[in-house]
Amino acid sequence: MTPPNTIRIAVMPGDGIGPEVTAVTVAILERLARRHGLGLVTEELRAGAFCYRDTGTAMSEETFRRAEAADAILLGAMGWPGIRYPDGTELGPQLDLRMRLGLFAGIRPIKAIPGVRGALADPRAANIDLVIVRESTEGLFASRNRGEIIEDREARETLVITREITEKLSHVSFGLAAERAARLGRPGRVTLVDKANVFRAFAFMRKVFDEVAATYPAIAADHHYVDAMALDLIRRPWDFDVLPTENMFGDILSDLAAGLIGGMGFAPSADLGDGHAVFQPSHGTAPDIAGQGIANPTATLLSAAMMLDWLGTRGAGQGWHDAARELETAVRGAFADGLRTPDIGGRDGTASVAAAVADRLAG
Ligand code: ATP
């Protein structure tokens, strides 16, 4: 039987490189739990494209309920080319999870890792440390599976912005900026990324954001049009702090931003709702490299660090924060000391990254 103070983590490895990056991450989590005396159990749950192929459902109701009942969910990646629903659309059980659990805030930290060169040669790129807060339940994705095609002549998708979710997204963003300002010892700034000059929905989003901003006088607030942000993320990404944005904009900008710090293998994420959270790398199943032992598990390890931190914030105890710091420091230290994964031109595969990080957690 599980002891009363035990935290239960549902692990959904998924497809492609998902099982490869989650396996090493779970092993590291177990090591951290031993070191810090954390009561942690993991339960592996099957979902994804191959689950659909084999069972006819991408995520059973029983699996959903077990994930929902867990204290946190660690997810690899889901989907596979060639395995699709009968209407030709891609399987997206991880998107269903976001919608059903109300995970409106996709927290995507973009932080340069020492020794890892991103797309920019400018030495200031070493200072990149921003967070995209991608709204993850509405925006253009509210139309997912609902778009209409009219007489093979016209197609329509409807974007949805609500006051309720925009307020919550703004509060999460300002809370995050305040926490970062305190930790980093510098003022915080939240920049809403929108297209308020063209669309009413974004003018509305901006109005609601400004109302919330007024309640955080210690944090600077401003706005940036999404097209200008795409340019400035290349020109001066080191100038930004917290960037809340609509779902589709966040989807696109977070891939662009991952390129600034070495690629998808380095970009973690946390999808947060009021009571639930899913932690997963920002990347997909990478079918081109699956099964070769070369997937970079860094994004998943850093997502696990975010999970430990979040559990600490939710009352699990200081040990969880300490474990989070230690994991992040170990990952960054391993790269600072010369670890180089194949996605950045090196030769250290999944197991080598895991060993280098585990070594730093020894002693
Ligand atoms: P999705 O639409 O599900 O986000 P995708 O097909 O757009 O997925 P990814 O699966 O993220 O994209 O892969 C994009 C590219 O990045 C591929 O070339 C892939 O090999 C590479 N990639 C993604 N994740 C990793 C990783 N962890 N390690 C190494 N390379 C990766």
Side-chain angles (χ1 to χ4, degrees):
M1 212 181 84
T2 310
N5 291 328
T6 300
I7 297 288
R8 203 170 67 78
I9 294 165
V11 180
M12 305 179 106
D15 309 304
I17 63 169
E20 301 172 43
V21 294
T22 45
V24 296
T25 302
V26 168
I28 296 277
L29 280 173
E30 284 167 354
R31 183 182 278 258
L32 280 164
R34 282 195 300 276
R35 280 172 64 71
H36 292 270
L38 312 177
L40 174 155
V41 290
T42 57
E43 179 189 15
E44 191 167 313
L45 298 174
R46 187 160 187 236
F50 288 97
C51 180
Y52 174 75
R53 186 196 62 185
D54 297 344
T55 69
T57 164
M59 186 188 309
S60 70
E61 270 308 298
E62 165 67 9
T63 298
F64 173 75
R65 271 195 295 276
R66 295 190 75 82
E68 187 182 30
D71 294 295
I73 301 166
L74 180 68
L75 199 145
M78 292 178 189
W80 196 253
I83 305 182
R84 303 213 161 205
Y85 290 122
D87 69 358
T89 57
E90 253 179 58
L91 291 124
Q94 72 282 22
L95 299 182
D96 297 330
L97 211 53
R98 272 181 210 157
M99 296 290 181
R100 291 184 69 179
L101 297 178
L103 309 178
F104 61 90
I107 312 289
R108 295 169 167 211
I110 299 292
K111 183 174 173 184
I113 294 178
V116 177
R117 220 186 105 195
L120 303 180
D122 192 307
R124 286 173 294 180
N127 302 328
I128 295 172
D129 183 2
L130 59 89
V131 185
I132 293 173
V133 183
R134 171 188 174 185
E135 195 294 313
S136 301
T137 55
E138 51 183 39
L140 192 53
F141 279 64
S143 186
R144 183 173 160 255
N145 299 332
R146 293 198 201 137
E148 41 169 352
I149 296 175
I150 306 157
E151 294 166 4
D152 206 29
R153 175 174 49 77
E154 184 174 317
R156 294 182 177 213
E157 307 272 0
T158 304
L159 178 143
V160 177
I161 301 288
T162 66
R163 167 175 284 280
E164 183 197 352
I165 293 295
T166 303
E167 282 178 356
K168 285 180 165 182
L169 190 80
S170 304
H171 282 296
V172 166
S173 301
F174 282 98
L176 182 61
E179 180 264 305
R180 281 163 58 83
R183 180 162 45 83
L184 301 171
R186 50 123 186 88
R189 182 156 65 106
V190 180
T191 306
L192 178 71
V193 181
D194 62 30
K195 191 73 184 167
N197 51 336
V198 178
F199 297 102
R200 281 186 185 165
F202 289 114
F204 174 69
M205 189 178 196
R206 191 178 274 210
K207 177 174 88 100
V208 175
F209 169 83
D210 286 346
E211 289 169 15
V212 175
T215 66
Y216 292 87
I219 305 291
D222 57 4
H223 325 98
H224 225 67
Y225 296 133
V226 64
D227 42 345
M229 182 53 85
L231 176 65
D232 280 338
L233 276 177
I234 301 296
R235 267 206 315 208
R236 51 182 188 96
W238 40 84
D239 282 347
F240 296 102
D241 184 7
V242 176
L243 306 176
T245 191
E246 181 269 341
N247 206 338
M248 182 74 157
F249 292 165
D251 186 27
I252 298 167
L253 290 182
S254 49
D255 274 33
L256 183 157
L260 302 173
I261 54 155
M264 300 308 288
F266 294 94
S269 82
D271 291 328
L272 308 182
D274 292 329
H276 295 92
V278 172
F279 300 84
Q280 66 179 119
S282 296
H283 60 72
T285 55
D288 52 336
I289 58 161
Q292 298 172 39
I294 57 170
N296 180 356
T298 303
T300 316
L301 290 166
L302 293 174
S303 303
M306 293 173 79
M307 178 177 77
L308 294 169
D309 221 14
W310 181 80
L311 287 163
T313 309
R314 299 201 31 111
Q318 182 58 37
W320 297 74
H321 290 300
D322 296 343
R325 287 291 81 73
E326 194 180 35
L327 176 52
E328 193 190 338
T329 305
V331 170
R332 297 175 67 79
F335 282 97
D337 283 354
L339 188 72
R340 293 293 176 270
T341 45
D343 52 346
I344 51 167
R347 304 169 65 92
D348 297 311
T350 316
S352 303
V353 178
V357 172
D359 275 356
R360 281 178 169 67
L361 305 177

